[in-house]
């Protein structure tokens, strides 16, 4: 059994390295690697890259949610998984019947339930159970505005446990507890690759800590600059994540074995290095980034979608490989919809 934590900046070949490893390991079904990525979009990108190499039978690609379900299934533990709308309705019901004083004026406000839903999600991602949250609130003076939130969290979790339900945020929590109760779970897994993350929650780190001593090989790639000091916030988060993983897994981080800076797009490498720096610098020559000045938002959208349409028609770009980003999408929404309809481009605006 071996565990590796590889560090490298963005676009340095981490996924390329793991794709090659997965293909080699799965040849002849000699091994069945599991791959965990942050989002479903990245899972589809991983699967496409596997297909482009000729295919790899037995490689399972998914998010942490899929990994949690595999763990619970292997442990023989079954829960009814609540969708977010049902979770929201459950919270509304609990809020309506809870003995609230401080938040009584907000009891019937839909937005209050959404705030509580977000709080529950954050607490569960951090592995904070209701009793620990309640004790922490009491130690801070037990202010009503915090005490009542702790009461709602405790009531919500009690309802889930009594009914045998689980929410998406709690899957990792349940998987971590299942791994602690069932030492055999994961011992028949050959390889686990965790790719594409620049940060991990406490629950995710806890699950990996349990699996590190069970799977034949655990490989984690972490996106960041190992020796960087210039990007304050991003670098601080990267260093904290690295230290937490090293402490939890009992290992030291290593450089990516096949790091090849020459393979990186120079413009994107420059952008990644300077993104949070604030220092001036000239972009390297290349066509990875095109800067265009437009007189207003409508023109910005028209130029961007015209560029996209040209690449769909002439460059065979897949629409699900493209994204239109804005710092605030709302001011652009009507222009995007109108121009996309004019150009015959189906769009999904988040």
């Amino acid at each position: 059994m071996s565990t590796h934590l590889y560090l490298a900046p963005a676009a340095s070949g981490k996924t390329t390295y793991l794709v090659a490893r997965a293909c080699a390991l799965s040849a002849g079904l000699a091994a069945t690697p599991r791959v965990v990525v942050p989002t479903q979009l990245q899972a589809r990108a991983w699967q496409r890259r596997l297909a482009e190499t000729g295919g790899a039978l037995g490689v399972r690609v998914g998010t942490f949610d899929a990994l949690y379900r595999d763990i619970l299934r292997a442990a023989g533990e079954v829960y009814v998984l609540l969708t977010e709308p049902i979770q929201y309705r459950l919270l509304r019901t609990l809020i309506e019947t809870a003995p609230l004083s401080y938040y009584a004026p907000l009891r019937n406000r839909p937005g209050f339930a959404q705030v509580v839903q977000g709080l529950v999600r954050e607490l569960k991602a951090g592995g904070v159970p209701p009793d620990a949250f309640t004790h922490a609130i009491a130690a801070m003076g037990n202010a009503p505005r915090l005490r009542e939130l702790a009461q709602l969290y405790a009531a919500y979790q009690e309802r889930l446990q009594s009914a045998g339900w689980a929410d998406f945020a709690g899957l990792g929590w349940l998987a971590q507890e299942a791994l602690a109760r069932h030492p055999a779970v994961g011992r028949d897994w050959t390889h686990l690759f965790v790719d594409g993350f620049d940060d991990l929650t406490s629950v995710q780190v806890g699950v990996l800590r349990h699996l590190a001593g069970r799977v034949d090989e655990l490989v984690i790639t972490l996106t960041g600059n190992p020796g960087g000091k210039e990007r304050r916030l991003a670098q601080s988060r990267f260093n904290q994540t690295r230290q937490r993983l090293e402490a939890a897994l009992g290992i030291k981080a290593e450089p990516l074995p096949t790091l090849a800076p020459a393979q990186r797009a120079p413009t994107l490498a420059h952008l990644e290095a300077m993104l949070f720096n604030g220092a001036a610098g000239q972009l390297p020559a290349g066509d990875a980034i095109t800067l265009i000045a437009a007189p207003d938002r409508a023109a910005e959208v028209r130029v961007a979608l015209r560029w996209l349409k040209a690449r769909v028609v002439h460059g065979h770009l897949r629409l699900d490989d493209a994204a239109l980003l804005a710092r605030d999408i709302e001011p652009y929404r009507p222009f995007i919809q109108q121009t996309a309809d004019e150009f015959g481009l189906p769009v999904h605006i988040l």
Side-chain angles (χ1 to χ4, degrees):
M1 297 180 182
S2 62
T3 302
H4 299 281
L5 172 61
Y6 292 136
L7 310 178
S12 294
K14 297 184 295 297
T15 299
T16 300
Y17 169 74
L18 289 181
V19 167
R21 287 287 318 278
C23 290
L25 289 167
S26 64
L29 293 179
T32 54
R34 280 175 164 80
V35 181
V36 178
V37 293
T39 66
Q40 288 294 342
L41 182 63
Q42 286 163 285
R44 290 194 293 271
W46 240 92
Q47 291 163 345
R48 185 168 63 251
R49 293 180 71 163
L50 287 171
E52 289 170 352
T53 63
L57 293 176
V59 180
R60 302 180 61 176
V61 184
T63 63
F64 263 106
D65 285 345
L67 179 68
Y68 298 153
R69 287 193 287 268
D70 285 346
I71 291 169
L72 293 171
R73 192 179 302 112
E77 299 186 9
V78 179
Y79 298 90
V80 175
L81 188 61
L82 301 184
T83 62
E84 288 203 358
I86 295 177
Q87 180 195 21
Y88 173 78
R89 287 198 290 270
L90 174 59
L91 284 170
R92 286 291 302 270
T93 301
L94 293 173
I95 291 170
E96 288 173 3
T97 58
L100 299 179
S101 175
Y102 185 87
Y103 290 109
L106 302 179
R107 189 189 299 274
N108 296 320
R109 300 289 181 87
F112 181 58
Q114 292 177 339
V115 170
V116 176
Q117 188 177 28
L119 174 66
V120 169
R121 187 183 302 115
E122 290 296 324
L123 289 169
K124 289 195 171 187
V128 181
D131 56 347
F133 187 52
T134 300
H135 292 155
I137 296 304
M140 295 168 57
N142 215 25
R145 65 182 181 86
L146 298 177
R147 184 181 65 246
E148 291 185 359
L149 292 176
Q151 291 170 352
L152 288 173
Y153 181 30
Y156 170 75
Q157 190 61 24
E158 182 180 353
R159 183 65 181 276
L160 292 190
Q161 291 174 341
S162 64
W165 297 340
D167 54 23
F168 282 101
L171 278 180
W173 191 348
L174 295 171
Q176 187 175 2
E177 293 177 347
L179 287 170
R181 287 193 298 267
H182 303 278
V185 172
R187 293 195 180 277
D188 58 342
W189 296 0
T190 59
H191 300 78
L192 177 61
F193 299 155
V194 181
D195 183 42
F197 291 85
D198 61 0
D199 191 18
L200 292 165
T201 68
S202 299
V203 170
Q204 291 168 342
V205 172
V207 168
L208 295 177
R209 178 176 58 82
H210 283 291
L211 291 174
R214 305 184 191 187
V215 301
D216 292 344
E217 183 182 28
L218 169 63
V219 177
I220 304 169
T221 63
L222 191 61
T223 301
N225 187 356
K229 299 180 180 179
E230 67 281 358
R231 291 170 295 165
R232 297 172 182 85
L233 292 178
Q235 191 65 32
S236 175
R237 184 179 65 178
F238 168 75
N239 288 334
Q240 290 175 3
T241 304
R242 168 185 179 172
Q243 291 164 8
R244 285 194 296 125
L245 284 169
E246 289 178 331
L249 303 177
I251 60 173
K252 287 294 183 183
E254 316 165 55
L256 187 69
T258 57
L259 182 63
Q263 296 178 0
R264 304 178 66 192
T267 305
L268 295 179
H270 177 87
L271 181 63
E272 191 273 339
M274 299 296 179
L275 186 58
F276 299 103
N277 189 349
Q282 185 175 358
L283 287 173
D287 59 358
I289 295 178
T290 301
L291 301 178
I292 297 176
D296 52 35
R297 292 192 179 107
E300 285 182 58
V301 171
R302 181 166 292 276
V303 169
L305 291 185
R306 185 184 295 117
W307 178 92
L308 177 60
K309 178 77 173 186
R311 274 144 188 82
V312 170
V313 174
H314 302 295
H316 306 291
L317 174 70
R318 290 164 49 100
L319 281 174
D320 57 0
D321 287 338
L324 181 65
L325 305 178
R327 182 168 54 187
D328 182 2
I329 200 69
E330 288 306 319
Y332 291 92
R333 186 182 296 271
F335 304 115
I336 294 173
Q337 193 61 64
Q338 178 182 345
T339 309
D341 291 343
E342 178 185 341
F343 287 179
L345 290 171
V347 294
H348 177 61
I349 305 177
L350 299 177

